[in-house]
Amino acid sequence: MDNGNITIHSVKTLSSGYNIPALGFGVYQNRGPTVVSACTAALEAGYRHIDSAQLYGNESEVAEAIANSGLNRDEVFVTTKILSKNWRSVTDRMLESLGRFSAHDTETFKFGVPDLLLIHDPRIDPTDRLSMWKDFLKLRDSGFVKSVGVSNFAVRHLEQIFDAGLDLPTVNQVELHPFCQRRGIVEWCTNRGMVIEAYCPLVRGRHWDNPILVSLAQKYDKDIGQILVRWSLQKGYIPLPKSSQAHRVKSNADVYNFMITDEDMEALDALDQGDNGAIAGWNPPINVP
């Protein structure tokens, strides 16, 4: 995919062979009826990729929004995640998710299985983590999910899978924005055919007074959120902007009628603060081997 000529219909091909839309919609910290309304707004705005998790407590609402959208199930890519602390009960946890996703099935709509399942974090013993990854591969091979990947994994966590000779994750989802660019992780993953998903692409509204962001928003006649999403897309990542407000959901996807120049991309790249720029508590932990 040419990262300069992307559209809202653009996809990336995972190493599993499945396509994943290049723009996703995040639903972290969104529960209850607002999840349905936010996802509905996202689908109406053209998003075809929703990123959920067991931790978020909103898998059923995500499925409800898709069921009510009039779209075919195979038109919407859905991700969920299992926390590493549940490594002993991966199959049971997967069955729980399937039950929640199927809660709104009808004669004409069947959710089926998630498109992508991620280990949400690496915060367990290396031996247990490798066992969990093997169980994920079994779920994939048994048809419980189409593709499997990880989230918040550092290079050392990925190397353990690689050194074990196992199939690598199709995706690594990490916090990623101009102020925290995870260059080592990005390089390792992209060199091995793994797709990078970027959560917190809007930096949760922080740094929006940064002079570079302000000047670029003025230059391109876009808001700062749109500049940040566009930066992520042009870097080749899959950004996962989130909002419960319909107008923000729509504006975050209105990023396909302009392109940031190479010079301006370099200015945004120069904002990187490394790990000091991280704002989420899910960063690859330095104390987890």
Side-chain angles (χ1 to χ4, degrees):
M1 182 179 71
D2 184 340
N3 294 329
N5 293 313
I6 42 184
T7 74
I8 200 166
H9 305 296
S10 294
V11 299
K12 292 178 176 292
T13 301
L14 300 174
S15 57
S16 59
Y18 291 99
N19 287 335
I20 181 171
L23 175 68
F25 180 64
V27 293
Y28 175 55
Q29 292 182 325
N30 196 349
R31 296 197 178 194
T34 59
V35 181
V36 180
S37 60
C39 288
T40 298
L43 296 172
E44 290 175 349
Y47 294 81
R48 292 296 182 265
H49 173 183
I50 300 177
D51 182 79
S52 183
Q54 292 189 344
L55 176 68
Y56 305 168
N58 53 25
E59 292 168 318
S60 176
E61 288 83 355
V62 168
E64 181 179 356
I66 299 171
N68 293 339
S69 69
L71 295 167
N72 294 326
R73 170 64 184 91
D74 60 7
E75 294 182 80
V76 184
F77 190 101
V78 179
T79 299
T80 194
K81 312 176 190 77
I82 298 177
L83 291 168
S84 65
K85 68 179 183 179
N86 296 312
W87 69 272
R88 292 184 179 89
S89 56
V90 164
T91 300
D92 289 342
R93 293 291 177 170
M94 184 75 257
L95 291 173
E96 291 172 5
S97 282
L98 291 177
R100 289 187 286 267
F101 279 128
S102 65
H104 300 280
D105 281 3
T106 65
E107 291 184 3
T108 58
F109 177 86
K110 304 295 182 186
F111 183 90
V113 302
D115 297 278
L116 179 63
L117 176 68
L118 305 181
I119 298 179
H120 205 149
D121 64 283
R123 296 173 176 176
I124 50 176
D125 178 84
T127 301
D128 298 338
R129 191 167 55 240
L130 202 60
S131 175
M132 186 174 192
W133 181 245
K134 290 177 180 177
D135 286 342
F136 265 48
L137 294 176
K138 290 177 183 176
L139 288 176
R140 178 202 65 186
D141 294 342
S142 299
F144 286 94
V145 65
K146 296 178 180 178
S147 301
V148 289
V150 297
S151 183
N152 300 300
F153 272 45
V155 169
R156 64 187 177 279
H157 306 135
L158 297 165
E159 286 179 335
Q160 291 167 353
I161 295 174
F162 181 82
D163 292 343
L166 299 173
D167 288 353
L168 286 174
T170 60
V171 162
N172 189 14
Q173 183 183 126
V174 294
E175 178 184 346
L176 194 55
H177 46 73
F179 301 93
C180 180
Q181 295 182 33
R182 306 290 187 204
R183 299 189 185 197
I185 294 174
V186 168
E187 180 180 12
W188 197 96
C189 291
T190 54
N191 285 344
R192 290 161 181 81
M194 293 172 58
V195 168
I196 294 290
E197 291 188 324
Y199 71 79
C200 290
L202 305 181
V203 210
R204 294 181 180 168
R206 303 184 193 181
H207 302 296
W208 282 31
D209 59 350
N210 179 276
I212 299 296
L213 290 178
V214 172
S215 66
L216 292 181
Q218 293 173 344
K219 175 180 178 178
Y220 293 100
D221 193 23
K222 291 290 181 179
D223 65 38
I224 288 174
Q226 291 166 333
I227 295 295
L228 290 168
V229 171
R230 183 72 199 190
W231 174 85
S232 192
L233 288 168
Q234 286 186 214
K235 295 292 286 187
Y237 314 142
I238 296 180
L240 304 167
K242 68 182 184 71
S243 178
S244 59
Q245 301 177 47
H247 72 282
R248 292 298 307 163
V249 172
K250 182 178 180 180
S251 68
N252 289 337
D254 184 18
V255 295
Y256 299 101
N257 55 1
F258 76 108
M259 185 169 71
I260 302 174
T261 66
D262 291 344
E263 180 181 4
D264 290 339
M265 288 292 289
E266 290 173 3
L268 290 168
D269 290 349
L271 297 176
D272 190 17
Q273 300 174 7
D275 289 344
N276 291 331
I279 61 169
W282 288 90
N283 309 311
I286 60 174
N287 60 341
V288 175

